[in-house]
Every structure is written in C-alpha cells, then in structure tokens.
C-alpha cells in the first residue's frame, strides 16, 4: 500500500504555534504538542460555559485535558467531582425499609431551637470529631412522642457521618423484624445479622413499636447488642418509649427471668448511648 503524504504550509503551522504560545506562555509549545494544547484550550473553554455534567461537550464526559508535570492528563471537572463525592457519601449510608428521600436530610438544616435538639447537634459534632481518637463512642437514644422529628434526626446524623467517611446502617426496626422472620434458614438471615453486628454505626429507628417475642429479644437483639458492646461499635436509636418503658416492653411476661433479660438488654443499650428526651420540641419539627 502506498503511503499518503500530507502537505502543509510551514508558515501557517508556525503562526498556529505562535498563537497557542500566547495562550500558554508558561509552556514550550512546538509542532509535536501543539494539537494537544489546542485540544486543552478547546475543552477548558467548553468547561467555562458548561451548566451541568449532562451538558458536557468534551470527548470524555466530566473530564478536560490538562498539562501537569510535563504530560497531558484527563482531569475531573467540578461537576464530575461533586457527583463522585456525592456517590461515595451515599454509598456509606445503607438504609433498609425507609424512603430514599431520607438521604436528603442535612444537619445544616436541623433546627436547634430546643434544649434536646441542641444536645443532639452538639453530640453529633463531638461524636464525629472524636470518632477516630475517642474511647467514648456512645451514640444516642432519642425518644419522645410521635412526629417530633426523631427519624429525621437520625437521617441528619447518618448524612453527617457519611460526610466524614463513617459508614452507617439506618433501619426501620419493625420492618426488619418481619424480614428476619421471613428469612429464617436462608443466607439472607445470616447476612442481615452480620450487617447489624459489623457495620461501623448502627441506627435502629422506632425501636419498641414491634411485636416483641422471646426469639426477637433473646436470639436477635441480645447477641447483636452484646457484640457491639464488646467491639465498642456505636449505636443510635429512636423510640416512642423511654428506656424504662422499653424495659417494660421487653419483659413480655411477669416472670423474674423475663424481667432480668429485659434489664440486660436495656443495660447494654445504655452502655452504648446517651439518652435524650425530644418531647421539649414541637411536632413535625425538622
């Protein structure tokens, strides 16, 4: 096959390089790298007028050509970077049986116009700042009447933890109980139990509203809490019941043995949390 010969005007190439050199005076532009610098110029101009990642006009969506340390590279635009950080953050939060929009909760928008909410906010900041150093890794037990923002508070905390690269699992507890019962004998059952034990931070939403049974108390709650106490893994809980009321709920019957088992469960919980009564706030507070 005969090779094709491309002819070009040397003067035009020289002028082309001179113009590029004016755009990038800090670099040495020559015939070997001029096209790459031209591409870099075009892509950076595209970025200046870009409104979103979906509107990216560059060959590699979300990236632009840059020149660093003597070589051309693909660099992330700020839209791509924001998406990557958001995706990474959301991957640190696992939710079960709760709506996806719970991930939009933000500690920055959390009202702190009551004493309990100030305590929650301050405890979260203290928890996050000391997570990798402190031996005191107690979470929180948030309780109070309906519709005062307990679940929203847990979601805000979960997002703040994720923002600081701390993984957590936020679970609507009554639905977890149903799922566990249906999964008995399957690999899913073992997977759920292992996740409850091993996740960095466990959050149980609406504990105490489930139908309690000896199996749930003694075979599920007890071992999970005992593991987390031994491994010093943090726990956050929301409930309509105070710890004392939760203990009554867990007794199931009036036998001394049942009372001791309920006491043991609550004692483990209290060793993992700081208790905050949210009834001093307004209903539907966010």
């Amino acid at each position: 096959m005969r090779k094709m010969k491309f002819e070009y005007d040397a003067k035009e190439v020289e002028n082309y390089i001179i113009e590029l050199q004016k755009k990038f005076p800090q670099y040495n532009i020559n015939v070997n790298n001029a096209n790459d610098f031209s591409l870099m110029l075009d892509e950076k101009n595209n970025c200046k007028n870009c409104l979103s990642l979906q509107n990216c006009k560059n060959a590699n969506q979300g990236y632009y050509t840059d020149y660093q340390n003597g070589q051309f590279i693909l660099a992330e635009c700020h839209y791509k970077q924001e998406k990557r950080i958001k995706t990474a953050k959301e991957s640190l939060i696992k939710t079960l049986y709760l709506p996806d929009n719970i991930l939009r909760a933000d500690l920055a928008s959390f009202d702190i116009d009551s004493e309990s909410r100030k305590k929650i906010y301050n405890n979260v900041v203290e928890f996050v700042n000391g997570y990798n150093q402190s031996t005191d890794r107690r979470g929180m037990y948030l309780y109070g009447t309906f519709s005062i923002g307990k679940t929203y508070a847990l979601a805000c905390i979960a997002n703040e933890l994720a923002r600081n690269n701390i993984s957590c699992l936020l679970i609507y507890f009554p639905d977890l109980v149903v799922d566990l019962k249906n999964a008995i004998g399957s690999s899913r059952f073992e997977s759920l139990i292992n996740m409850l034990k091993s996740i960095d931070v466990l959050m149980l939403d609406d504990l105490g509203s489930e139908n309690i049974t000896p199996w749930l108390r003694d075979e599920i709650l007890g071992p999970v809490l005992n593991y987390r106490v031994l491994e010093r893994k943090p726990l956050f809980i929301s409930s309509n019941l105070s710890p004392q009321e939760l203990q009554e709920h867990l007794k199931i019957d009036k036998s001394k043995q049942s009372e001791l088992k309920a006491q043991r469960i609550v004692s483990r919980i209290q060793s993992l949390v700081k208790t905050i009564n949210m009834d001093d706030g307004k209903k539907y507070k966010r």
Side-chain angles (χ1 to χ4, degrees):
M1 175 182 274
R2 190 173 60 181
K3 291 184 178 179
M4 297 183 66
K5 185 177 181 181
F6 293 96
E7 295 183 359
Y8 54 85
D9 188 308
K11 189 62 178 177
E12 286 185 7
V13 172
E14 182 182 350
N15 291 335
Y16 175 66
I17 292 175
I18 289 172
E19 290 303 312
L20 275 175
Q21 189 70 71
K22 291 178 182 178
K23 302 288 186 182
F24 301 105
Q26 70 273 38
Y27 303 124
N28 179 28
I29 300 177
N30 55 59
V31 69
N32 295 318
N33 61 24
N35 283 338
D36 290 319
F37 275 108
S38 179
L39 175 63
M40 186 170 85
L41 180 63
D42 290 342
E43 291 192 341
K44 286 193 173 183
N45 284 335
N46 287 340
C47 288
K48 288 179 182 177
N49 300 314
C50 187
L51 298 176
S52 69
L53 188 59
Q54 291 71 28
N55 293 324
C56 179
K57 294 181 179 179
N58 293 343
N60 295 282
Q61 189 182 64
Y63 295 89
Y64 61 89
T65 301
D66 200 8
Y67 190 71
Q68 296 179 13
N69 301 319
Q71 61 182 352
F72 291 95
I73 64 165
L74 282 178
E76 280 185 331
C77 73
H78 69 279
Y79 292 120
K80 181 71 175 181
Q81 187 179 48
E82 287 170 2
K83 182 179 180 181
R84 176 175 55 78
I85 293 172
K86 182 175 183 291
T87 301
K89 186 195 80 169
E90 290 179 353
S91 70
L92 289 169
I93 305 176
K94 297 178 177 64
T95 61
L96 290 177
Y97 329 112
L98 288 164
D100 291 339
N101 63 10
I102 205 73
L103 295 177
R104 292 199 290 269
D106 191 344
L107 193 65
S109 62
F110 184 69
D111 285 335
I112 53 173
D113 56 355
S114 69
E115 285 304 311
S116 66
R117 288 173 170 273
K118 289 176 185 176
K119 286 181 182 178
I120 292 169
Y121 184 89
N122 291 334
N123 281 331
V124 173
V125 172
E126 182 181 353
F127 180 89
V128 168
N129 290 340
Y131 183 80
N132 292 317
Q133 293 84 27
S134 177
T135 55
D136 182 5
R137 284 189 171 184
R138 284 179 296 166
M140 285 178 266
Y141 184 101
L142 310 179
Y143 74 95
T145 190
F146 298 97
S147 303
I148 55 173
K150 298 186 298 294
T151 301
Y152 187 82
L154 288 185
C156 288
I157 296 167
N159 278 290
E160 188 64 20
L161 297 181
R163 191 174 288 113
N164 288 272
N165 297 314
I166 302 169
S167 64
C168 64
L169 174 63
L170 175 53
I171 297 179
Y172 181 64
F173 192 71
D175 283 353
L176 170 67
V177 174
V178 174
D179 198 359
L180 284 169
K181 287 179 179 177
N182 292 334
I184 290 176
S186 70
S187 60
R188 176 165 175 76
F189 180 85
E190 293 300 324
S191 176
L192 285 169
I193 295 298
N194 288 336
M195 187 162 52
L196 293 172
K197 289 181 176 179
S198 63
I199 193 75
D200 287 346
V201 178
L202 177 62
M203 296 183 164
L204 303 179
D205 182 40
D206 211 9
L207 180 67
S209 63
E210 73 289 338
N211 292 320
I212 192 66
T213 64
W215 168 81
L216 175 59
R217 181 191 63 193
D218 304 335
E219 303 299 325
I220 304 299
L221 265 179
V224 167
L225 292 173
N226 189 56
Y227 181 91
R228 298 192 70 84
V229 168
L230 293 175
E231 295 297 321
R232 296 193 301 113
K233 288 183 172 289
L235 175 69
F236 287 78
I237 290 173
S238 76
S239 179
N240 295 323
L241 306 176
S242 68
Q244 294 74 25
E245 291 169 332
L246 179 66
Q247 185 169 310
E248 288 299 312
H249 172 70
L250 293 170
K251 279 172 58 174
I252 302 176
D253 58 50
K254 296 182 179 180
S255 69
K256 187 65 177 177
Q257 184 182 34
S258 186
E259 183 177 351
L260 288 173
K261 288 181 177 180
Q263 286 177 356
R264 190 176 297 117
I265 293 289
V266 173
S267 175
R268 286 171 179 162
I269 290 174
Q270 289 181 320
S271 71
L272 290 168
V273 300
K274 300 174 183 178
T275 302
I276 298 177
N277 183 353
M278 292 184 67
D279 275 333
D280 60 343
K282 298 176 182 178
K283 283 198 171 188
Y284 302 103
K285 207 67 180 166
R286 290 295 180 260

